Amino acid sequence: MESPFKADALKGKVALLTGGGSGIGFEISTQFGNHGASIAIMGRRKNVLDDAVSSLRSLGIPAVGFEGDVRKKEDAQRVVEATVKHFGKLDILVNGAAGNFLVSAEDLSPNGFKTVMDIDSVGTFTMCHEALPYLKKGGPGRTSSSGGFILNISATLHYTASWYQIHVSAAKAAVDATTRNLALEWGTDYDIRVNGIAPGPIGDTPGMSKLVPEEINNNVREDMPLYKLGTRWDIAMAAVYLASDAGKYVNGSILPVDGGLWLSKPRHLPKDAVKRFSRSVENRSRAKPDGVPTSKL
């Protein structure tokens, strides 16, 4: 789809994205690049990085990839510094690296729980911490009088509760808390905006294929307010909005982009039966007026 934003909405910006080589992260990388940003991608798999960088460059987008694990402070520091060395500065950090799989709480080992927490929540904070010197107002390489921007990708799983997702729900709740706290502290002290996006089910992504197999895909759509899955483009456009001047007064917000799914529950009554049952209940109520019940005492 054609972007509603101007092609130069992010002109001159330098963005570093973890998890930016595949799925939602790659679409954000692409759209940031299409809107004028230079792109650095951090990931653990060299082949994924190479393919992503090659694709971005084929579109005329300045791009570079760096191998690294967000769980390791030394990797985070090295990649942030390498990005600044390559492009001269850092304006935007997107934390999209994540781990996920379906598992019941009783079958999930403490180590499995810890692994997802380390990637999603600890990794997010680690990247933010190492990027701070370059994102804050007046930081090295910054020609602007304002600070940079941090975007953390979370989820809506923890808004209520989710079957077989206790590890990710806990990790994403921590990511959202990190987003709000950094927005408060770093927004005040360093003029850095920190926001989040909470995607819903997004079609044609590795996460969707693992968490919602084709066998149950159709049933899931029936429970969604918009009756369709989201696309990677939907998430990327939300990211462009928040990263651009259009979102310059948005700070500490987590934007759900899920078609309203987190608000919904499966229908327990067909729509065409609502009025019929409602009238029936109302008629019974009128036929038996309320009154003070007699007591046997």
Side-chain angles (χ1 to χ4, degrees), residues 217-238:
N217 197 15
N218 291 333
N219 291 335
V220 170
R221 296 185 190 206
E222 286 301 311
D223 294 337
M224 300 179 71
L226 298 183
Y227 293 98
K228 59 185 177 183
L229 298 176
T231 67
R232 291 176 290 182
W233 185 89
D234 294 320
I235 307 303
M237 288 300 103

Side-chain angles (χ1 to χ4, degrees), residues 107-174:
D107 293 327
L108 176 64
S109 70
N111 186 60
F113 186 95
K114 180 178 182 298
T115 296
V116 174
M117 290 293 292
D118 283 346
I119 296 172
D120 290 44
S121 51
V122 180
T124 291
F125 177 75
T126 300
M127 292 301 301
C128 292
H129 188 271
E130 297 308 311
L132 173 61
Y134 303 97
L135 291 173
K136 66 182 182 181
K137 183 168 61 177
R142 296 201 62 78
T143 57
S144 172
S145 59
S146 63
F149 172 66
I150 296 173
L151 177 63
N152 298 325
I153 307 300
S154 62
T156 61
L157 302 172
H158 55 287
Y159 291 3
T160 52
S162 297
W163 288 99
Y164 315 129
Q165 292 279 275
I166 187 172
H167 48 321
V168 185
S169 295
K172 295 305 188 183

Side-chain angles (χ1 to χ4, degrees), residues 2-128:
E2 184 177 348
S3 170
F5 298 98
K6 292 182 178 179
D8 62 352
L10 299 177
K11 184 178 180 180
K13 302 291 187 183
V14 174
L16 168 60
L17 302 93
T18 70
S22 62
I24 290 172
F26 180 67
E27 184 68 19
I28 295 176
S29 298
T30 302
Q31 294 300 335
F32 275 14
N34 285 342
H35 290 82
S38 297
I39 305 299
I41 299 174
M42 177 180 179
R44 289 180 292 167
R45 297 175 293 173
K46 186 177 184 303
N47 62 315
V48 173
L49 285 175
D50 291 344
D51 289 346
V53 169
S54 178
S55 294
L56 292 172
R57 288 178 176 173
S58 71
L59 297 173
I61 298 170
V64 63
F66 299 109
E67 288 185 74
D69 189 332
V70 297
R71 293 172 291 183
K72 299 177 180 178
K73 181 181 184 298
E74 59 273 21
D75 282 12
Q77 182 180 31
R78 172 178 52 80
V79 171
V80 168
E81 291 178 350
T83 299
V84 174
K85 182 178 180 180
H86 187 86
F87 289 118
K89 62 173 183 171
L90 178 63
D91 300 293
I92 301 169
L93 171 66
V94 178
N95 290 299
N100 202 352
F101 48 89
L102 287 174
V103 61
S104 65
E106 64 193 84
D107 293 327
L108 176 64
S109 70
N111 186 60
F113 186 95
K114 180 178 182 298
T115 296
V116 174
M117 290 293 292
D118 283 346
I119 296 172
D120 290 44
S121 51
V122 180
T124 291
F125 177 75
T126 300
M127 292 301 301
C128 292

